[in-house]
């Protein structure tokens, strides 16, 4: 078993030293041990779940939701949302957000979503004039020459 999950969460705590770690482990093993290695999988999961709840950032969930909405709008506009360099290049444009997607705050993500919806309403990123269905493309108007004067009566 790796202890990556525990240490990732443990390091988010304001006070995190060996003594604190041992107290947490003892608490979740009912005093049986102070060693992570001696914990059962259920005890370890309960400890990590509790650490996740105590270190949860409410802004993180809000930001995650707003990022998801912005990515969905980009996808509807035809931007490949699996191509992060493309997403970042799009967002860096000063007319869009002026910075990379990952650096956007929740209010900036709201503004981005607003712009993306406006782009959608105006026809997308590269609007093309639509031709009525079935209308053939005409290359040039047809010119008819007629002779004037000198016509017999």
């Amino acid at each position: 078993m790796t202890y990556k999950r525990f240490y990732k969460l443990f390091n988010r705590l304001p006070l995190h030293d060996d003594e604190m770690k041992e107290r947490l482990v003892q608490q979740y093993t009912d005093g049986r041990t102070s060693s992570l290695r001696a914990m059962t999988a259920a005890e370890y999961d309960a400890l990590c779940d509790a650490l996740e709840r105590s270190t949860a950032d409410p802004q993180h969930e809000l930001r995650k939701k707003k990022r998801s909405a912005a990515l969905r709008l980009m996808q509807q506009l035809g931007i490949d949302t699996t191509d992060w360099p493309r997403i970042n290049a799009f967002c860096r444009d000063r007319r869009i957000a002026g910075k990379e997607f990952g650096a956007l705050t929740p209010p900036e993500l709201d503004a981005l979503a607003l712009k993306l919806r406006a782009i959608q309403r105006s026809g997308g990123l590269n609007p093309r004039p639509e031709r009525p269905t079935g209308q053939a493309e005409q290359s040039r108007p047809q010119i008819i020459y007629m002779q004037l004067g000198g016509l017999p009566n």
Side-chain angles (χ1 to χ4, degrees), residues 63 66 99 101-110:
R63 187 170 179 234
K66 291 180 183 292
K99 59 168 92 170
F101 186 76
L104 297 173
T105 63
E108 291 170 331
L109 287 165
D110 285 337

Side-chain angles (χ1 to χ4, degrees), residues 8 25 32 62 88 113 124 127 130 153:
K8 178 182 170 192
V25 172
R32 183 174 53 81
L62 176 66
N88 286 327
E130 290 188 24
N153 286 341

Side-chain angles (χ1 to χ4, degrees), residues 62-75:
L62 176 66
R63 187 170 179 234
K64 187 175 174 181
K65 186 176 179 180
K66 291 180 183 292
R67 285 174 54 120
S68 179
L71 286 170
R72 188 182 68 250
L73 289 166
M74 282 186 210
Q75 192 173 37

Side-chain angles (χ1 to χ4, degrees), residues 8-145:
K8 178 182 170 192
L9 297 166
F10 182 69
N11 288 331
R12 289 184 191 170
L13 295 173
L15 296 171
H16 54 277
D17 58 6
D18 287 337
E19 186 179 321
M20 174 68 133
K21 180 187 83 157
E22 289 173 2
R23 278 188 280 143
L24 283 170
V25 172
Q26 283 180 342
Q27 179 183 345
Y28 281 87
T29 60
D30 293 324
R32 183 174 53 81
T33 183
S34 62
S35 169
L36 274 175
R37 290 182 183 175
M39 291 181 84
T40 65
E43 293 168 337
Y44 177 78
D45 287 338
L47 172 59
C48 289
D49 290 345
L51 284 173
E52 279 178 348
R53 285 189 300 275
S54 70
T55 60
D57 180 12
Q59 288 288 11
H60 176 73
E61 289 301 318
L62 176 66
R63 187 170 179 234
K64 187 175 174 181
K65 186 176 179 180
K66 291 180 183 292
R67 285 174 54 120
S68 179
L71 286 170
R72 188 182 68 250
L73 289 166
M74 282 186 210
Q75 192 173 37
Q76 290 171 355
L77 289 170
I79 296 171
D80 180 7
T81 54
T82 62
D83 184 5
W84 285 103
R86 172 72 178 109
I87 292 168
N88 286 327
F90 177 72
C91 289
R92 274 193 305 265
D93 186 311
R94 65 178 173 73
R95 296 169 294 177
I96 303 298
K99 59 168 92 170
E100 290 195 353
F101 186 76
L104 297 173
T105 63
E108 291 170 331
L109 287 165
D110 285 337
L112 174 62
L114 192 66
K115 287 179 185 178
L116 293 172
R117 286 188 189 97
I119 291 170
Q120 258 183 341
R121 282 191 303 273
S122 69
L125 291 172
N126 294 319
R128 292 184 181 93
E130 290 188 24
R131 226 179 296 147
T133 308
Q135 179 180 358
E137 187 174 317
Q138 296 177 357
S139 57
R140 289 187 269 166
Q142 190 174 13
I143 300 174
I144 300 174
Y145 294 97

